[in-house]
Amino acid sequence: MLPCICSAGLAALAVFHPVPARPRLVVLIAVDQLRPDYLDRYRDQWTGGFRRLLDQAAYFPDGQQDHALTQTAPGHSTMLSGRFPSHNGIPSNALGVEDASAALLGVTGTGASPRRFQGTELYDWILVRDSGARVLGVSRKDRSAILPVGRARGQVYWYVDGTFTTSRYYTDALPDWVTRYNARQGAQRLAGASWTPLLAADRYPEVDSMPFENNGADFVFPHRLPTSPEEVARDLPKYPWIDSLTLDLALEGVSAIQLGQREDTDLLTISLSATDAVGHDFGPDSRELHDMLLRLDHWLGWFMDSLAVLVPSSRTDFVLTADHGVQSFPEWTTDVRHEAAGRVWMADLAREAAAPLRRRFRTDFRFEFDDGLLTADLPLLRAHGIDVDSLAKALAEKARSRAGVTRVFTPATLRSASPGDREARLWRHTLPPNVEWLFAAVVGPGYTWQSSGGSTSHGTTNRLDTTIPIAFWGPGIRPGRYARPVNSVDIGPTLAALVGVTPTEPVDGAVLREVVSVPSTH
């Protein structure tokens, strides 16, 4: 007979959920410019990866990139670091991975590395426990391949003019498996192909005749790829197939470097960029974007099935998210929704401020404008006797008068803004201490930071740009749809808890308890 366990202070006995075996492989899939409303909009047409997400994942449709410059580099920098751009050092694309000292291998182009990135990420935390952990990062874009891995010198590859390559930050020569993959010339073999819709025309509610799309050229299906192998290799990032090649390379790498073949955890990061290109050129309300997503749904399903042949699905955890959203074409917003919209750009303010100072002092004070942010060399301005606070105030007043601009912060007004001020919080989460700036502007809904038409964009603090899907699935993760807002910086700490490691520095994110089982009582 079992003894009776009694205590006056014992109200309940702790009951623990079964803990699944530690995953052999964690897979991050970042879909560039994926808005969560797409997943519900076309819900009845998903049959592949997006269907599994909706059926099997712990899904947060109100994920947030909780910073102001909603661009690719800062978005990817937050996913596995658990820290905002203000703390990881990557506030923008321009201040991202470009590095002339890290030359590319076998191709011409701008060198790239994570040298500007500050601190650690999930892979570093795994290495503390297991120095033999492996990582593979792949993407069409250099910043999207590099930044989810961080400063670690793992296997990291991105696409340049028909080949996947890396930089000398990581290695002096491509491994044989990447060389063999490039020799297949997967991009070049698509020369002359046509992009036609997967489904019958009546399955697409979008009108395929909007002349403001794609800079007014080739805005109606079918879209023919260039007939020259060299041209199609260069232009492929504008077409859906770049994502299929990226997923194919990822599978090749999993097999070649034996990811997920040990009892401890390896990491695979994949960033898929075609949705971003199609979204910019044709917009989020286009038939092209709809068809792009249908193709991606199929390819993700194929990838997951193929990966399960290499690594048991019972030992694989997935997370899917995005680096940012996107605004509708301003023309679509005004013509179809009959709401205010437009494009705003302020590079002229930078030029107007720079020109007299350059003439007077014969010095370049490096005025630059980027998606609402005006930067300059403030220490140099001060050294020449310029009252920087007065200059910032004057320029902010000019910026505030532009159509579509709703607010403009200077360093002084951002410091004094209340903690509950959403736009102020987003800019505070964006700007590392070493970024010298004069003003940070906000535009209203429907407005984009662009200098000209022919495309649409992201980069604002508007919710269509900041809101992203965040979904986790794998053994032990209970499916569910959770409406509460969460942040991209929560992904890293949550995966760390699933893997059983601890961040090695303070993080801004939190473990999502809907994903990680915790003790319960009854």
Side-chain angles (χ1 to χ4, degrees):
M1 181 175 178
L2 294 175
C4 179
I5 304 175
C6 300
S7 170
L10 183 62
L13 295 176
V15 176
F16 291 87
H17 296 291
V19 178
R22 183 179 295 161
R24 289 183 179 179
L25 185 63
V26 169
V27 183
L28 167 72
I29 300 174
V31 180
D32 200 318
Q33 203 185 107
L34 181 67
R35 284 184 2 192
D37 60 294
Y38 301 157
L39 298 175
D40 288 326
R41 187 188 305 179
Y42 308 121
R43 184 184 187 98
D44 292 342
Q45 295 181 337
W46 303 139
T47 60
F50 292 148
R51 170 55 54 195
R52 295 184 198 187
L53 181 157
L54 293 173
D55 290 347
Q56 302 175 15
Y59 175 42
F60 300 85
D62 193 13
Q64 294 292 314
Q65 288 285 358
D66 202 35
H67 54 263
L69 282 172
T70 42
Q71 300 175 349
T72 297
H76 280 81
S77 77
T78 65
M79 295 173 186
L80 299 187
S81 72
R83 290 172 295 122
F84 298 123
S86 57
H87 295 146
N88 67 41
I90 307 292
S92 67
N93 288 344
L95 298 174
V97 300
E98 185 174 323
D99 184 355
S101 70
L104 303 182
L105 301 183
V107 295
T108 58
T110 304
S113 82
R115 287 195 173 98
R116 286 195 184 94
F117 180 85
Q118 299 169 10
T120 59
E121 300 208 37
L122 177 64
Y123 181 57
D124 301 293
W125 310 337
I126 294 172
L127 284 173
V128 171
R129 180 181 71 197
D130 174 20
S131 62
R134 305 182 184 109
V135 66
L136 173 64
V138 296
S139 180
R140 195 283 283 178
K141 299 180 181 180
D142 51 7
R143 51 194 177 273
S144 308
I146 291 170
L147 291 170
V149 175
R151 297 179 67 91
R153 283 178 163 84
Q155 298 216 34
V156 177
Y157 306 101
W158 55 93
Y159 181 91
V160 180
D161 292 344
T163 65
F164 284 92
T165 188
T166 189
S167 78
R168 293 192 181 277
Y169 177 89
Y170 297 101
T171 183
D172 291 326
L174 289 174
D176 289 344
W177 72 269
V178 177
T179 300
R180 289 193 301 270
Y181 187 86
N182 287 333
R184 298 177 196 168
Q185 297 195 315
Q188 292 85 343
R189 290 164 63 184
L190 288 165
S194 288
W195 177 14
T196 57
L198 284 176
L199 305 180
D202 62 2
R203 302 294 303 280
Y204 297 89
E206 305 83 9
V207 176
D208 190 29
S209 60
M210 297 295 191
F212 50 75
E213 296 174 358
N214 202 32
N215 211 27
D218 190 24
F219 54 85
V220 177
F221 275 115
H223 304 287
R224 192 178 184 197
L225 279 65
T227 56
S228 161
E230 293 77 20
E231 289 180 358
V232 78
R234 180 197 64 208
D235 293 348
L236 192 64
K238 298 191 297 184
Y239 296 93
W241 288 274
I242 188 63
D243 282 355
S244 68
L245 290 181
T246 304
L247 289 166
D248 194 34
L249 179 77
L251 278 175
E252 191 84 6
V254 169
S255 176
I257 64 178
Q258 296 291 288
L259 282 186
Q261 299 306 308
R262 308 170 313 120
E263 279 305 306
D264 220 321
T265 306
D266 294 329
L267 176 64
L268 172 63
T269 74
I270 305 169
S271 182
L272 303 169
S273 304
T275 304
D276 185 66
V278 174
H280 277 293
D281 289 345
F282 296 95
D285 311 289
S286 66
R287 185 171 296 188
E288 284 81 1
L289 193 279
H290 184 168
D291 193 72
M292 167 69 234
L293 293 169
L294 290 171
R295 292 172 182 273
L296 182 55
D297 174 57
H298 289 316
W299 289 329
L300 286 172
W302 160 80
F303 169 78
M304 293 171 192
D305 288 340
S306 301
L307 182 65
V309 175
L310 301 173
V311 184
S313 57
S314 61
R315 301 295 298 276
T316 304
D317 285 343
F318 290 92
V319 60
L320 183 141
T321 190
D323 52 352
H324 52 72
V326 68
Q327 300 289 300
S328 292
F329 263 83
E331 293 86 351
W332 188 90
T333 302
T334 56
D335 295 350
V336 177
R337 301 196 65 174
H338 309 293
E339 296 176 356
R343 296 178 176 86
V344 185
W345 198 247
M346 300 184 193
D348 59 311
L349 292 184
R351 291 192 296 270
E352 290 172 11
L357 292 171
R358 186 183 297 111
R359 288 194 299 270
R360 179 181 174 188
F361 297 109
R362 299 189 179 186
T363 300
D364 182 4
F365 293 96
R366 300 202 301 251
F367 286 85
E368 298 285 347
F369 179 77
D370 183 10
D371 283 2
L373 184 68
L374 182 65
T375 58
D377 190 333
L378 303 194
L380 188 60
L381 285 167
R382 293 189 183 98
H384 284 78
I386 306 300
D387 186 332
V388 170
D389 291 337
S390 296
L391 177 62
K393 185 176 180 180
L395 290 171
E397 196 62 36
K398 289 184 178 180
R400 198 173 290 112
S401 67
R402 299 292 175 91
V405 174
T406 58
R407 302 183 71 183
V408 184
F409 296 102
T410 66
T413 60
L414 187 62
R415 284 193 297 270
S416 64
S418 71
D421 185 324
R422 176 180 179 267
E423 280 107 2
R425 183 187 78 241
L426 296 184
W427 277 112
R428 288 184 182 124
H429 288 173
T430 298
L431 297 165
N434 64 338
V435 172
E436 300 284 350
W437 60 283
L438 290 162
F439 72 67
V442 175
V443 291
Y447 287 84
T448 68
W449 291 119
Q450 289 180 284
S451 59
S452 61
S455 65
T456 189
S457 195
H458 47 84
T460 77
T461 60
N462 291 327
R463 291 193 181 273
L464 286 178
D465 285 348
T466 65
T467 305
I468 58 170
I470 298 177
F472 299 80
W473 69 101
I477 299 174
R478 185 171 61 185
R481 185 182 178 108
Y482 304 101
R484 73 178 178 99
V486 297
N487 293 325
S488 63
V489 293
D490 299 330
I491 297 172
T494 301
L495 288 175
L498 284 170
V499 170
V501 298
T502 303
T504 57
E505 62 185 316
V507 294
D508 299 310
V511 175
L512 299 176
R513 293 300 177 185
E514 297 91 338
V515 177
V516 181
S517 296
V518 294
S520 62
T521 59
H522 68 268

